[in-house]
Amino acid sequence: MSTRLSSTKSRAALHTSARTSAQLLLVAVAVTAGLWLVGQMWSVVWPLVVGLLLTTLTWPLARFLRNHSWPPALAASVVTVFALVVAAGIVALIAVPVASESGTLADGVIAGVEQLRTWAAGPPLNIGDAEITKAMDAGIERLQSSLGATVSTVATGLSTVVHGVVVAVIAVFLMFFFLKDGPRFLPWLTRQLPGRLAVDIPTVAERCWNTLGAFIRSQALVGLIDAVFIGLGLWILGVPLVLPLSVLTFVGAFVPIVGAFFAGFVAVLIALVSNGLTDALIVLAIIIVVQQLEGNVFQPMIQSRGLGLHAAVVLLAVTLGGSLAGIVGSLLAVPAAALIGVIWRYIREQLAEPPHEPRPDEPEGATAA
């Protein structure tokens, strides 16, 4: 016997679907407008984000000093100076050994080019000096013809570097003020907000702050794993500058995609000019294996535990962030997803119904029924 659809229930379902769709559309419009506004203020938002990330990295030391009766301004000043000294030390740890080995590396580059030319001259390529000279002349002519575009690219790169320096300086100043006045922010925010917002927003802000700290710690652990395994492989192969390359790998872990690519490229290049093509290929294989394990195993596992996100969510967030906003999107994708998760969990807590407690006269098992 066939059943007929109820016109009343169908009409109610359509009304509910239409109302829900309209509400979701309004939410999507609001989110789009918010993202557009953030994009318009990106010159202010980006230093603020960098300053917050630096603050989460340096706050444990500042908190330790404040707990030992240091004045907030003095503790913030000492931690800021210490962070700058550590950053300068990292640069020196990379630059000084490289500069001391520059002569050896230059000779290795020349020898590597000569080996490559000799290999290309033999079978199966059989490329002679005439063909190489002709290719170089063609490259020079093409470079000269595109001189305007090259100058424009260089100018754009210099502008990007200058903008990055400005962002870094502003972020350091913001980090100092966050370290100095951060604990007073939530009480101040509570006094400025009316009604229930005075409880909800500070609570969410505190949870978001703890989540950002977990992100920085997990990213540092991932970078340490990369540096240890890649540095161990370089040391076993006898590649020079193991310590600077390991430090560069650790620092590069904080910059998704580009950081790992740059650190790996430098390691392979140094292995090529110092140890030869075979060791360079082995180093490349080590880097690829470690990066694949880090990107698909270690990072999702570590960040999913520290941020309360599933490993698949971490992978999808990085992929989506990179496709939407490039390097910056990849860098901010995981903490943004974690903050969204924090807000969503808090909303669920507030909207959840309280557990039903049976009345004294209610028979046992009635609640489950």
Side-chain angles (χ1 to χ4, degrees):
M1 179 178 179
S2 61
T3 58
R4 299 177 57 185
L5 292 177
S6 170
S7 59
T8 303
K9 292 183 178 180
S10 300
R11 195 160 42 245
L14 287 175
H15 288 168
T16 302
S17 300
R19 184 169 61 252
T20 303
S21 299
Q23 292 170 347
L24 291 176
L25 184 60
L26 288 176
V27 171
V29 170
V31 171
T32 303
L35 293 176
W36 177 84
L37 187 61
V38 169
Q40 296 300 113
M41 299 189 303
W42 189 246
S43 59
V44 176
V45 172
W46 181 229
L48 179 63
V49 171
V50 176
L52 283 173
L53 294 177
L54 292 176
T55 305
T56 59
L57 193 62
T58 55
W59 173 245
L61 179 58
R63 181 177 55 196
F64 174 81
L65 296 178
R66 292 166 70 110
N67 290 339
H68 286 74
S69 303
W70 284 51
L74 179 60
S77 301
V78 170
V79 172
T80 302
V81 172
F82 177 74
L84 293 175
V85 170
V86 169
I90 291 175
V91 173
L93 195 61
I94 296 175
V96 172
V98 172
S100 64
E101 296 283 342
S102 59
T104 304
L105 292 177
D107 295 339
V109 170
I110 295 174
V113 172
E114 182 63 24
Q115 290 179 2
L116 184 62
R117 188 192 66 80
T118 303
W119 174 75
L125 298 180
N126 297 319
I127 300 177
D129 291 340
E131 287 81 0
I132 296 176
T133 304
K134 183 178 179 180
M136 293 180 60
D137 292 340
I140 293 174
E141 291 179 1
R142 180 171 297 181
L143 181 62
Q144 291 174 345
S145 64
S146 60
L147 184 60
T150 304
V151 171
S152 176
T153 303
V154 172
T156 303
L158 290 176
S159 175
T160 302
V161 171
V162 172
H163 181 263
V165 171
V166 172
V167 169
V169 172
I170 296 175
V172 169
F173 277 102
L174 289 175
M175 180 188 73
F176 167 77
F177 289 116
F178 291 155
L179 292 174
K180 174 178 172 290
D181 301 322
R184 297 189 295 180
F185 174 71
L186 289 182
W188 173 85
L189 186 62
T190 301
R191 293 192 300 269
Q192 308 306 312
L193 295 174
R196 182 172 176 175
L197 292 178
V199 177
D200 292 339
I201 293 183
T203 301
V204 172
E206 184 177 3
R207 294 186 184 184
C208 289
W209 170 258
N210 294 333
T211 300
L212 284 178
F215 166 73
I216 291 296
R217 289 190 295 271
S218 63
Q219 198 69 19
L221 181 57
V222 169
L224 181 63
I225 292 174
D226 282 355
V228 168
F229 281 103
I230 292 178
L232 184 61
L234 296 176
W235 177 74
I236 292 174
L237 292 174
V239 177
L241 304 175
V242 173
L243 183 58
L245 290 175
S246 300
V247 173
L248 183 62
T249 301
F250 174 78
V251 175
F254 289 90
V255 184
I257 303 175
V258 171
F261 174 80
F262 177 74
F265 172 77
V266 173
V268 172
L269 179 62
I270 292 178
L272 176 64
V273 301
S274 61
N275 291 33
L277 181 60
T278 301
D279 284 357
L281 293 177
I282 296 175
V283 169
L284 178 61
I286 292 174
I287 291 174
I288 291 176
V289 170
V290 172
Q291 292 294 339
Q292 290 299 314
L293 289 174
E294 175 254 310
N296 297 294
V297 179
F298 297 135
Q299 185 174 23
M301 289 177 58
I302 294 173
Q303 290 187 341
S304 63
R305 292 179 181 178
L307 303 181
L309 297 175
H310 193 274
V313 175
V314 174
L315 285 174
L316 293 176
V318 173
T319 303
L320 180 61
S323 63
L324 293 178
I327 300 172
V328 175
S330 299
L331 176 63
L332 300 180
V334 176
L339 296 183
I340 292 173
V342 168
I343 297 172
W344 173 251
R345 285 191 293 271
Y346 184 79
I347 292 175
R348 282 180 57 88
E349 290 176 7
Q350 303 307 309
L351 297 179
E353 296 182 357
H356 175 71
E357 297 182 0
R359 298 187 303 273
D361 58 341
E362 188 175 4
E364 186 178 355
T367 302

